Amino acid sequence: MSWTWQRERAYWAGEIPRLLRGGIWLIALLFLLSFLSMFHVVGVVMNALIAAVPLVIVVRRILAARDFDGVLDRRWQRKMTKWILGNWLGLARSLRLEARGPQGTPIVASCGKPTWQKQTCMLPVALPPGLVRENLVNVTGHLAQAFAASRVSVVGEHLGRLALRIEYVDVLARPFTLPLGLPWDGRTVVMGVAEGGDQWWLPVGPHTLVAGSSGSGKASLVWGLLLGLAQPIHQGLVEIWGIDRKGGMELAMGRDLLTRFADDAAHSVVLLEEAVAQMQKRARALAGITRQHVATPDSPTIIVLIDELAALTAYETDREMLRRANAAIATLASQGRAVGFILFACLQDPRKETLPARGLFTQTVGLRLRDRMETAMVLGDGAVAAGALCHEISPSTPGVAYVLSDSGTAPQRVRAAFADDDQIREAALTYFAPNPKPVIVPEATAEQDTTAPRRPRTRGPRKTQDNKEES
């Protein structure tokens, strides 16, 4: 960072107290040496000490300039560490993080030595017997206010290894972009940034359901997947079969990245049913050879990407189309993973009535949702208790989400990268799919058109009680 008066003042605000503390010891030393001033050597030492003071100040300032930000951060960290440790006991008692011991004496939750990574503090916490992880999760909001932090979360699953992540700057607060053409490891795709500043890698294998209210950033997840897989798409290792039931409003701009594309009910259902047919064909070909598909140009991983899934599974007015779409989605979700057919679907309404096959999606991403009930629908009650609060995500941070993987680990707070129109166009132009295939809706055959209509059923006379008595 460049030099500013504000940063210079911050440096001297911490430096002056340190110089004063050192000055007190220097004055005390000079006072003692003054009793021996009759010796010439002592007088020389005293003069040297006095002359060294400005030199030390100048040298310290020159050394600090080599890592000015680091100096300021370390001073701030020491100050906050002292404040946190000094106030923890009273804070834990006021938040009732205590339990009764065998003799009835209160045992308060204790904390260890904080460790810092820039402006994020990891504070180990030991809970007394009788308290559980949820007790600590429930007071994270109070702890954030007490520590003047932007966010506090609980890290770890076992009681003996719990820690508080105290963030004074939320790394997910600002939007960002990712470069195009990142290499693919065959298993995961980089989508954005995770809590703590590390890259967020989303496993590609599990069927993924993304749920979020309007404006929550579902497009960031869609384009994060497409742009993150741009290189394997261009190499033919991955095919994206896209369905956009908003008339192509979202996916049409990057259509060249898609091997197949549908934007209405008829084409969408045909695309899904052809995916099922190819999945079953591949399964028969791999039977007895391998139990796990490996992507190659001749046998690519096929990702069926569906935007506005509910338009297919719940809102479609044609009952036959609705039935066929739900059947195809359930078949793909239950049988596709091992043979390299993956579902990645987005919707706004996570209710079971909207998506009957919701339980077959083993990896879920919860963006901003309306209430705690919707959060539990997407991530489960256990995830909510673990601190995944999708209903508390700010509308000003689209793309922030909680991810619940199929590995059983705690939900991870992440933010997907933002992709603007220019980046999407560049990706479509540079990393286009090599073998696009149209989706063709078969026309009804003449035999089907001339099929005789079914004879309407006629009801016979109802038996009345009088008829029964006569018989």
Side-chain angles (χ1 to χ4, degrees):
M1 292 179 64
S2 59
W3 178 90
T4 62
W5 279 110
Q6 291 80 3
R7 297 173 69 235
E8 187 69 26
R9 284 197 298 268
Y11 170 80
W12 288 109
E15 184 71 5
I16 290 175
R18 296 171 64 89
L19 293 175
L20 291 177
R21 288 193 296 270
I24 292 174
W25 289 104
L26 178 61
I27 292 173
L29 178 61
L30 291 176
F31 178 76
L32 293 175
L33 290 176
S34 64
F35 292 102
L36 303 175
S37 58
M38 69 285 300
F39 299 103
H40 177 70
V41 176
V42 174
V44 172
V45 170
M46 293 177 64
N47 292 332
L49 289 174
I50 295 172
V53 171
L55 180 63
V56 169
I57 294 174
V58 172
V59 170
R60 284 179 59 87
R61 179 60 184 87
I62 293 173
L63 294 176
R66 299 169 59 185
D67 184 20
F68 205 54
D69 293 330
V71 170
L72 296 180
D73 285 344
R74 287 189 292 272
R75 288 180 178 178
W76 176 81
Q77 289 168 4
R78 286 192 292 267
K79 177 182 176 182
M80 295 307 301
T81 295
K82 183 177 179 181
W83 191 91
I84 290 171
L85 294 178
N87 290 274
W88 172 259
L89 185 61
L91 185 59
R93 284 176 174 168
S94 65
L95 295 177
R96 298 183 179 179
L97 293 176
E98 59 181 358
R100 295 287 176 179
Q103 306 300 325
T105 56
I107 304 176
V108 183
S110 60
C111 68
K113 182 180 179 180
T115 58
W116 291 85
Q117 183 178 6
K118 295 185 178 179
Q119 292 179 309
T120 299
C121 173
M122 296 297 294
L123 180 67
V125 175
L127 296 178
L131 296 185
V132 295
R133 186 181 188 275
E134 284 70 22
N135 294 114
L136 195 57
V137 171
N138 292 336
V139 298
T140 52
H142 299 283
L143 291 170
Q145 294 185 20
F147 293 147
S150 64
R151 174 178 165 80
V152 173
S153 57
V154 180
V155 178
E157 296 297 319
H158 302 290
L159 289 182
R161 300 177 181 176
L162 294 180
L164 291 174
R165 183 197 300 272
I166 307 171
E167 298 179 63
Y168 287 90
V169 174
D170 187 359
V171 297
L172 307 184
R174 294 183 178 180
F176 56 92
T177 60
L178 290 176
L180 290 173
L182 294 175
W184 186 46
D185 62 4
R187 299 180 304 274
T188 59
V189 56
V190 59
M191 297 281 284
V193 175
E195 195 170 46
D198 298 327
Q199 281 190 326
W200 166 37
W201 295 82
L202 182 74
V204 174
H207 302 297
T208 303
L209 178 65
V210 178
S213 302
S214 178
S216 60
K218 292 187 292 296
S220 296
L221 273 296
V222 169
W223 290 111
L225 178 73
L226 286 169
L227 301 186
L229 292 174
Q231 189 175 101
I233 288 173
H234 190 57
Q235 294 170 346
L237 296 174
V238 174
E239 289 186 1
I240 306 294
W241 294 16
I243 296 176
D244 185 353
R245 287 306 308 277
K246 293 186 292 187
M249 186 72 179
E250 187 63 52
L251 296 180
M253 184 173 294
R255 185 168 177 172
D256 288 341
L257 293 168
L258 309 178
T259 301
R260 312 196 76 180
F261 177 71
D263 60 3
D264 61 20
H267 288 80
S268 299
V269 171
V270 169
L271 184 150
L272 289 171
E273 291 178 337
E274 290 184 1
V276 171
Q278 290 198 25
M279 175 197 72
Q280 293 171 341
K281 180 180 178 181
R282 182 182 288 180
R284 288 190 293 269
L286 295 179
I289 299 175
T290 181
R291 295 187 300 167
Q292 188 64 46
H293 171 264
V294 177
T296 64
D298 295 328
S299 180
T301 295
I302 294 178
I303 299 176
V304 180
L305 172 62
I306 308 174
D307 193 17
E308 297 300 337
L309 177 62
L312 281 173
T313 61
Y315 306 148
E316 175 57 48
T317 56
D318 188 321
R319 290 184 177 273
E320 180 61 15
M321 289 286 186
L322 190 69
R323 182 195 64 78
R324 290 167 60 189
N326 276 304
I329 288 170
T331 305
L332 285 170
S334 59
Q335 302 175 21
R337 178 174 181 175
V339 292
F341 280 76
I342 309 301
L343 281 171
F344 189 99
C346 304
L347 51 70
Q348 294 186 36
D349 186 352
R351 292 177 300 170
K352 189 74 172 180
E353 296 82 358
T354 304
L355 179 59
R358 189 181 69 191
L360 298 176
F361 288 84
T362 56
Q363 181 170 249
T364 51
V365 180
L367 293 154
R368 177 172 52 84
L369 294 167
R370 291 181 297 180
D371 51 42
R372 182 187 181 94
M373 184 177 298
E374 285 195 352
T375 303
M377 288 179 189
V378 177
L379 302 177
D381 286 326
V384 177
L389 306 177
C390 299
H391 50 288
E392 294 186 3
I393 295 175
S394 171
S396 64
T397 56
V400 172
Y402 290 90
V403 180
L404 186 64
S405 69
D406 63 348
S407 61
T409 57
Q412 183 183 24
R413 184 170 176 262
V414 299
R415 184 166 191 176
F418 172 73
D420 59 22
D421 294 353
D422 292 337
Q423 190 177 34
I424 294 170
R425 292 190 183 97
E426 179 186 355
L429 183 65
T430 308
Y431 298 98
F432 54 87
N435 301 306
K437 304 169 188 175
V439 179
I440 301 174
V441 178
E443 296 181 1
T445 62
E447 181 181 352
Q448 290 173 328
D449 290 340
T450 59
T451 300
R454 292 192 307 169
R455 182 181 177 181
R457 293 190 306 172
T458 58
R459 292 186 178 181
R462 294 180 58 188
K463 286 187 177 182
T464 62
Q465 187 65 26
D466 294 339
N467 292 337
K468 290 182 181 179
E469 290 178 355
E470 288 177 2
S471 62

